Amino acid sequence: MDLLSNLEGGHVCWDDNDIIQGKPTGAVRVSFGYMSTYEDAKKFIDFITSSFVSMPNKSENRNTLRTKSMLLSNEGHERNAGYYLKSITVYPIKSCTGFSVESWPLSSTGLQHDREWLLKSVTGEILTQKKVPDMCSISTYIDLNKGIMFVESPRCTAKLEINLKTDSYPGGMEEIELRAQRYEVQYYENDVDLWFSHAVGLPCSLLRCSSSQNYSSLNKDRSRNLCRDVECTLNFANEAQFLLISEESVSDLNNRLSLIDAQKGTHGTSVQINPMRFRPNLVVYGGEPYAEDGWLNIKIGNTNFMVSAVHLDGIVISLILEFKKT
């Protein structure tokens, strides 16, 4: 059913639709040959069961995260009070490098200016690191006091400065569609586009989100088959306003990778995955691995967050949250 629904929605291999109706669209093929045995198949099934199948959770307290000292700041935390927010990362331009802050204002779209810009090719394709790996070398930083976004690239000698004021670029406006969202975007003059074209090695344009509107179609039963709140406001984030991950979950993943290397007799240091590999907005610590699987909502300071969905991001389970004004 999901396969047919995705095909009817226009999803094809290698497009930008990573998540449709709250579910990842990727697939894994397992091939068996003449020499494969029953034990081979059982090992694979056991691996899937132990790593990716969530069993029913009978604990009611696990669904809600409540720690009095959980703040949108990484200062003054003590480990003995529960979960803590360790880091905040803002990614102004989709698929480009973000920057870490100790505190950051919230808006109706999540962290202010997070994924508010993207790059589009001359053919209309939205550029991401999957297709343009050089985007990971473009660094960004926003100075809220000056109202300027600074952008740097090893391919460009000059640092680019972009004024955050909405009336500072006379490029024009247009509409684009991306992942069941219709966006009204503003674009810049040629000098900005030329800078980014040189940075990524192909002609492209910088677009800034002005407004967005969800237009997901209804199912036959007239209900929306989506995990997230369709009325929330999004910039160019894939599904919801925040992506959260816990240090303990990543640490458990690294321990499993080390164990696998030891069992295989691999010599040398095992590859250790950094939580930032998954491009999270929020990194928390202080609990058990994968405890976030059971969360329904959390509270950071005086702000409530609703858990929209839990997905497999690579192997690590990530948590997607939606900001709700209180």
Side-chain angles (χ1 to χ4, degrees), residues 7 20 23 32 51 90 104 114 116 122 133-134 151 177 181 206 227 244 264 268 281 317 321:
L7 289 174
I20 296 180
K23 298 179 180 179
F32 290 90
S51 300
V90 185
W104 197 256
D114 183 65
E116 194 168 309
V122 293
D134 284 339
V151 191
E177 295 180 1
Q181 293 271 341
L206 180 69
C227 291
L244 178 149
K264 292 181 178 179
N281 294 115
I317 293 184
L321 308 175

Side-chain angles (χ1 to χ4, degrees), residues 68-88:
K68 295 180 180 179
S69 59
M70 196 173 221
L71 309 173
L72 273 176
S73 171
N74 59 9
E75 296 179 348
H77 291 158
E78 296 179 1
R79 278 187 174 271
N80 59 3
Y83 282 93
Y84 299 95
L85 181 61
K86 180 177 182 179
S87 67
I88 304 169

Side-chain angles (χ1 to χ4, degrees), residues 106-116 209-212 232-237 240-242 281 321 323 325:
L106 292 169
S107 68
S108 60
T109 59
L111 294 171
Q112 189 173 2
H113 302 305
D114 183 65
R115 295 176 175 89
E116 194 168 309
C209 179
S210 176
S211 64
S212 65
C232 70
T233 304
L234 297 180
N235 284 333
F236 297 124
Q241 296 126 326
F242 300 89
N281 294 115
L321 308 175
F323 168 63
K325 290 184 178 180

Side-chain angles (χ1 to χ4, degrees), residues 78-144:
E78 296 179 1
R79 278 187 174 271
N80 59 3
Y83 282 93
Y84 299 95
L85 181 61
K86 180 177 182 179
S87 67
I88 304 169
T89 305
V90 185
Y91 304 91
I93 304 176
K94 184 176 178 65
S95 275
C96 292
T97 303
F99 61 97
S100 297
V101 292
E102 292 186 352
S103 62
W104 197 256
L106 292 169
S107 68
S108 60
T109 59
L111 294 171
Q112 189 173 2
H113 302 305
D114 183 65
R115 295 176 175 89
E116 194 168 309
W117 290 263
L118 59 69
L119 296 176
K120 186 182 76 169
S121 71
V122 293
T123 61
E125 181 182 29
I126 305 303
L127 302 185
T128 65
Q129 285 188 27
K130 290 181 180 179
K131 302 170 184 178
V132 188
D134 284 339
M135 293 182 70
C136 68
S137 64
I138 299 177
S139 61
T140 57
Y141 174 73
I142 290 179
D143 189 322
L144 292 176

Side-chain angles (χ1 to χ4, degrees), residues 107-214:
S107 68
S108 60
T109 59
L111 294 171
Q112 189 173 2
H113 302 305
D114 183 65
R115 295 176 175 89
E116 194 168 309
W117 290 263
L118 59 69
L119 296 176
K120 186 182 76 169
S121 71
V122 293
T123 61
E125 181 182 29
I126 305 303
L127 302 185
T128 65
Q129 285 188 27
K130 290 181 180 179
K131 302 170 184 178
V132 188
D134 284 339
M135 293 182 70
C136 68
S137 64
I138 299 177
S139 61
T140 57
Y141 174 73
I142 290 179
D143 189 322
L144 292 176
N145 294 326
K146 294 181 179 179
I148 295 177
M149 177 169 67
F150 299 93
V151 191
E152 294 184 86
S153 167
R155 289 190 173 190
C156 302
T157 56
K159 180 188 297 186
L160 183 64
E161 297 184 8
I162 297 178
N163 197 312
L164 298 182
K165 293 183 179 179
T166 56
D167 59 352
S168 63
Y169 41 92
M173 301 185 68
E174 64 179 54
E175 283 192 354
I176 64 171
E177 295 180 1
L178 181 64
R179 298 181 310 278
Q181 293 271 341
R182 181 178 290 110
Y183 294 90
E184 187 178 71
V185 298
Q186 297 171 308
Y187 52 94
Y188 293 80
E189 292 185 310
N190 289 337
D191 56 343
V192 173
D193 292 343
L194 288 174
W195 191 96
F196 280 100
S197 298
H198 185 61
V200 301
L202 57 88
C204 63
S205 300
L206 180 69
L207 303 181
R208 183 181 186 181
C209 179
S210 176
S211 64
S212 65
Q213 180 181 1
N214 185 286

Side-chain angles (χ1 to χ4, degrees), residues 37-69:
T37 64
Y38 170 83
E39 287 74 19
D40 295 332
K42 188 175 186 307
K43 284 182 179 180
F44 177 74
I45 293 175
D46 290 342
F47 162 72
I48 294 296
T49 302
S50 63
S51 300
F52 300 110
V53 177
S54 297
M55 304 304 292
N57 180 18
K58 298 180 181 180
S59 174
E60 296 180 356
N61 295 329
R62 195 180 176 189
N63 291 331
T64 303
L65 177 67
R66 296 174 182 173
T67 54
K68 295 180 180 179
S69 59

Side-chain angles (χ1 to χ4, degrees), residues 278-323:
F278 301 96
R279 296 175 62 81
N281 294 115
L282 310 175
V283 177
V284 298
Y285 72 91
E288 296 296 323
Y290 315 115
E292 61 268 28
D293 294 2
W295 296 351
L296 295 180
N297 54 75
I298 66 173
K299 188 174 183 179
I300 302 176
N302 294 321
T303 304
N304 293 313
F305 297 79
M306 181 184 71
V307 178
S308 175
V310 178
H311 295 299
L312 290 172
D313 195 345
I315 298 178
V316 176
I317 293 184
S318 302
L319 188 66
I320 297 175
L321 308 175
E322 289 181 357
F323 168 63

